[in-house]
Structures are given as structure tokens and as C-alpha cells.
Amino acid sequence: MMNLSDPAIVWFYIAVALQISVTTVIIPLKIKSQFGKYLSFYTEEDHPALYTSSSKVIDYALRFYLLMSISMAGASFYFLYSSFTNKQELFNWDNQSGIMVLFLMSLLPLFFLIFVNKRYFKLLKDHASKKRTASLTIRRWQDFIPKFSIALLILGHILFVAVNQYFQLHPFDGFAGYVNYLGVIFLDTVNVVAISLIIKGKNLSQVKGEDKKRIFQARAIKINVTIWIVAIYYLVIALLLAGAELRDYALVIQSLYFVLIYVMVNKLFVSSSDITPPHSTA
Amino acid sequence: MITIDMDSREPMFSQLVAQIKKAILDKTIGPGDALPSIRQLANDLDINAKTVAKAYDLLERDNVIEKKGYRGTFVHPNAYSNSQFDLEDWLDEQLASLLAILKTSGATDSEIRIAFNKVMSQQIKGK
């Protein structure tokens, strides 16, 4: 039974409600409206070259995406409501795992969008110009990642090692010890591989123009590095809160962390500065 | 920046060679400048890495670029003058003058072709 008068529990419910609202309602609505703007600014009649699929098919995919998101919102809020009224942990199971399940549920519509986007990119590739361009300058990771971000990453790692070593000497109940380093090594490996793949620029031949390719790469790397930085500091904060016996507040931080990850991932799809006044190409 | 035309009759590796030489003659890139790796260029152009490797091998043979092991590939110090030399034109000239000598001596076209193929196949076997 959870004590609903505990402020940490109240904050937990507020954070989870915010997580559900952002990931299954606010961002999906924003994505739908952003793509809707694209469709109305660059109409199929005026810009036929942009439409590798009819506007009706694109609109249908977007409506389906929004319907999926709203369904997930309904289900998620129902689970949250039943947890609150029954004074039980999420899914009658565990709050920490429950937040993870809600996050995965919110990702399902996004996976659908990624699948559609991948097909769209393949179509773009098939329709790409037969003239391909490339730059004769080498690309290095230093050109994409600012020194400030590298400094933040190094500092985050030093903090993590320091905090982990401290709790190694003064362990709390449930402390994983040196196993925590495996998690950080996994996190670092995933990010290094992802960034190096983006820098190599595979499958970017459908993006016309070297400058646009570089902008796309820079944006993808910036998002990746931001998620990496946030992840390492989240681990440090989670360890500190667990060590201070404030695990319920750690759940609040975890929920906020998922919201941030979701927002950053969605930045790959939409950016409010992308739409420029249309010029007819018909 | 280089551009490859996928519809062109010219093989992709020779388009690459010509484009890199053009960039050197235009002074877009100069002696000592680092060139992208074979994999990077192949990814950017969405072509096979072997095509880029072949172009780089030919450019290295002509002393237009130089490979420095793990450090990468760089523009050769004499790249500008070496890029002006066209091996294809030189071959055409050499063969034309040789053909003129052979024809003056009374050899027919088919005799020249047979002899040329014979020598070429012997050369290949000799390798």
C-alpha cells in the first residue's frame, strides 16, 4: 500500500502524469500539426516532386499515428488512475518498472512513424538524382561535437566514478557495486557506435546537397550527445538519491529523464525552424 | 566537392579520378591536404568501396595522391603538375606513332591486331 500523503508519492504521480501527457498527447499532436503544415505549405499540386506517396496516404499514416498515441494515452492514464485509487504500485507490480512500461507504450506509435519514415526514405532514394555529390574534406568527430559537450561528458564520468566509489565504501541496500560500471560502458559503447555511424553518413545519398547532409548529421549528433550527457548525469543523480534513501524522488527523476529522451528523439523528426515560405516548383 | 553521374558512360572510377584531378587543378585542394577515407567517399556517393579504392590506386600510381598508412590519404606534393599529365592522351599518341611505323613496314590491320593481342596475352601470362 502506498501512502498518498507522502509528498514524494504525490510528486511521483505528477511526474508520471506529465510523462504520459508529453509522450502520448502533446508531442504526437505537435508532430501531426507539423506534418500537416508541411502538407499545406508544400501542396501536392504545387510540389509534385516532393510526393513519392500521395498526400492522402501520408495524411492517413499521420491520423493512424495520432490514433495510436491517443489510445496509448487512454490506456496509460487508466493504469495510473487505477494505481492511484487502489493505492498500489503501477500495474500492481513495481513503480520503477511501471514507468519503463509506460515509456515503452508511448514509443509504439513512434516506431510506426519510424517505419513509415524509413519506407519514405527508401522511396526518396529510389527517386534520387542520378548525380551524386560528395565532399573531398575529411569528417572528424571533433568537427561535430563541441568542446563544452566533451567537457560535460568527462565531468559526468568522473562524478559517476566518484559517487560509485563512495558507495562502494558506504554501500546502501540494493547497491550494485562495480556492476554499475558495466552499465556505463554499455551506454558509452552504444553512443560511440551511433555517433560514428552518423559521421560516416551511410544512407544519406538521398539527401540532396552536401550542406543539407552536414546539417542533418550535425543535428543527429547533437541530439545523440545531449541524450548521452543527460543519461550519465541521470545515473549520478539516481545513485545519489538511492544512497540518500530517497528512492521515490529517484522515480520522479527517472520519469523526467524519459520525457527528455522522448523530446530529444522527436527532434529528429520535427523542428519548428524547418518550414520556410513555399516557392512553387510546378 | 565532386559529382558522379550514374548515367554517364564513363566508368565511375575514371569519373572519380578526373574529378579529384580537377579539384587539384582548380586548387580546391592542395598538396598535403587530407582526403576522405575510401569508406567515407563510398558512403557519401553510395557506391562500392572497391570503385573508390580503384580510383585511389590509379591516383597513387600517377603520384597525385599518397597513402600514409593509418594516417590516411593525402594530396601529393607534386599533385598539381602530375594532374596535368593525361595518361590516356599519352597512350593514344604513343600507339598512333607506333601504328604509323608498323603500317609503313607493310603490316595489315589484322596482322597488327593479332600481334598486339599475342604480346598482351604473353605479358599477362608473364605476370
Side-chain angles (χ1 to χ4, degrees):
Chain A
M1 276 285 187
M2 289 200 299
N3 178 14
L4 296 179
S5 58
D6 181 354
I9 298 296
V10 174
W11 276 112
F12 166 75
Y13 278 109
I14 292 170
V16 177
L18 180 78
Q19 178 188 329
I20 298 169
S21 306
V22 172
T23 58
T24 60
V25 182
I26 297 170
I27 290 184
L29 280 173
K30 189 170 161 49
I31 287 179
K32 169 82 169 62
S33 115
Q34 190 93 11
F35 277 101
K37 275 182 198 167
Y38 285 133
L39 290 175
S40 59
F41 276 165
Y42 304 98
T43 58
E44 197 171 359
E45 293 77 35
D46 292 340
H47 303 267
L50 291 175
Y51 284 79
T52 48
S53 181
S54 88
S55 58
K56 278 185 185 171
V57 173
I58 297 170
D59 194 48
Y60 176 77
L62 284 171
R63 278 172 195 272
F64 188 73
Y65 161 72
L66 195 62
L67 184 70
M68 272 180 89
S69 300
I70 300 298
S71 306
M72 290 301 158
S76 302
F77 275 120
Y78 169 75
F79 291 130
L80 188 68
Y81 174 75
S82 48
S83 159
F84 185 79
T85 50
N86 297 329
K87 296 180 182 175
Q88 294 288 334
E89 296 211 8
L90 283 170
F91 301 99
N92 276 341
W93 178 29
D94 170 52
N95 279 343
Q96 191 173 14
S97 311
I99 297 173
M100 179 75 86
V101 171
L102 291 176
F103 179 64
L104 291 175
M105 280 170 68
S106 70
L107 283 177
L108 287 176
L110 195 64
F111 286 148
F112 166 74
L113 204 65
I114 290 168
F115 172 72
V116 172
N117 200 49
K118 209 170 177 184
R119 268 198 342 191
Y120 182 69
F121 254 52
K122 195 181 172 302
L123 280 166
L124 271 178
K125 198 175 178 180
D126 295 341
H127 288 77
S129 163
K130 293 291 180 187
K131 285 189 177 173
R132 297 178 186 171
T133 58
S135 165
L136 277 179
T137 51
I138 54 167
R139 286 198 296 275
R140 302 169 309 163
W141 61 268
Q142 297 96 315
D143 301 331
F144 291 96
I145 307 172
K147 282 179 184 160
F148 180 68
S149 300
I150 296 167
L152 277 178
L153 272 174
I154 293 170
L155 184 67
H157 280 78
I158 292 170
L159 277 173
F160 181 82
V161 172
V163 170
N164 204 61
Q165 283 305 114
Y166 173 80
F167 287 120
Q168 198 72 38
L169 298 172
H170 310 93
F172 55 84
D173 191 26
F175 176 62
Y178 289 115
V179 177
N180 284 334
Y181 290 123
L182 284 179
V184 173
I185 290 168
F186 177 74
L187 176 78
D188 291 348
T189 309
V190 167
N191 280 290
V192 167
V193 170
I195 289 168
S196 60
L197 284 176
I198 298 167
I199 290 172
K200 278 179 186 165
K202 213 163 188 177
N203 296 326
L204 282 179
S205 58
Q206 61 271 39
V207 180
K208 283 182 187 172
E210 279 303 296
D211 50 341
K212 282 185 183 167
K213 280 183 196 175
R214 295 297 88 81
I215 290 169
F216 183 86
Q217 281 177 313
R219 189 157 82 174
I221 291 171
K222 190 179 169 189
I223 289 167
N224 211 306
V225 171
T226 309
I227 290 174
W228 192 3
I229 292 169
V230 170
I232 192 78
Y233 284 95
Y234 159 69
L235 290 175
V236 173
I237 293 169
L239 258 181
L240 285 171
L241 288 172
E245 297 298 328
L246 295 167
R247 282 175 198 273
D248 290 326
Y249 285 106
L251 294 178
V252 174
I253 298 291
Q254 185 181 347
S255 183
L256 291 174
Y257 168 67
F258 282 150
V259 171
L260 198 71
I261 298 287
Y262 196 90
V263 170
M264 294 307 292
V265 169
N266 276 279
K267 271 186 176 283
L268 265 182
F269 289 95
V270 283
S271 166
S272 55
S273 59
D274 271 350
I275 298 177
T276 50
H279 300 287
S280 176
T281 57
Chain B
M1 194 171 75
I2 55 170
T3 308
I4 299 294
D5 188 353
M6 305 303 285
D7 286 336
S8 170
R9 282 186 170 188
E10 194 183 356
M12 275 187 278
F13 74 87
S14 51
Q15 285 188 57
L16 262 175
V17 168
Q19 290 274 321
I20 293 172
K21 281 184 176 176
K22 188 177 174 290
I24 290 165
L25 292 172
D26 292 347
K27 297 192 174 172
T28 311
I29 47 173
D33 283 355
L35 287 170
S37 67
I38 290 171
R39 197 177 286 264
Q40 184 189 313
L41 208 51
N43 275 342
D44 286 2
L45 295 167
D46 201 15
I47 60 175
N48 197 312
K50 284 180 183 171
T51 308
V52 181
K54 190 174 180 180
Y56 271 25
D57 284 345
L58 291 174
L59 288 165
E60 192 183 22
R61 181 203 64 188
D62 295 346
N63 287 329
V64 174
I65 63 170
E66 54 183 351
K67 291 175 187 166
K68 292 183 180 174
Y70 69 91
R71 279 188 289 165
T73 309
F74 297 84
V75 178
H76 194 276
N78 301 325
Y80 188 83
S81 56
N82 294 339
S83 295
Q84 287 168 324
F85 175 75
D86 193 324
L87 187 70
E88 214 172 301
D89 286 348
W90 180 81
L91 271 174
D92 287 348
E93 278 172 29
Q94 296 296 313
L95 275 175
S97 61
L98 182 64
L99 272 176
I101 295 167
L102 295 173
K103 282 191 174 177
T104 316
S105 65
T108 62
D109 286 357
S110 58
E111 282 172 330
I112 294 169
R113 248 182 237 117
I114 290 164
F116 182 80
N117 287 337
K118 196 174 144 190
V119 173
M120 279 296 283
S121 57
Q122 279 171 353
Q123 291 270 329
I124 292 165
K125 278 178 195 167
K127 271 187 176 178

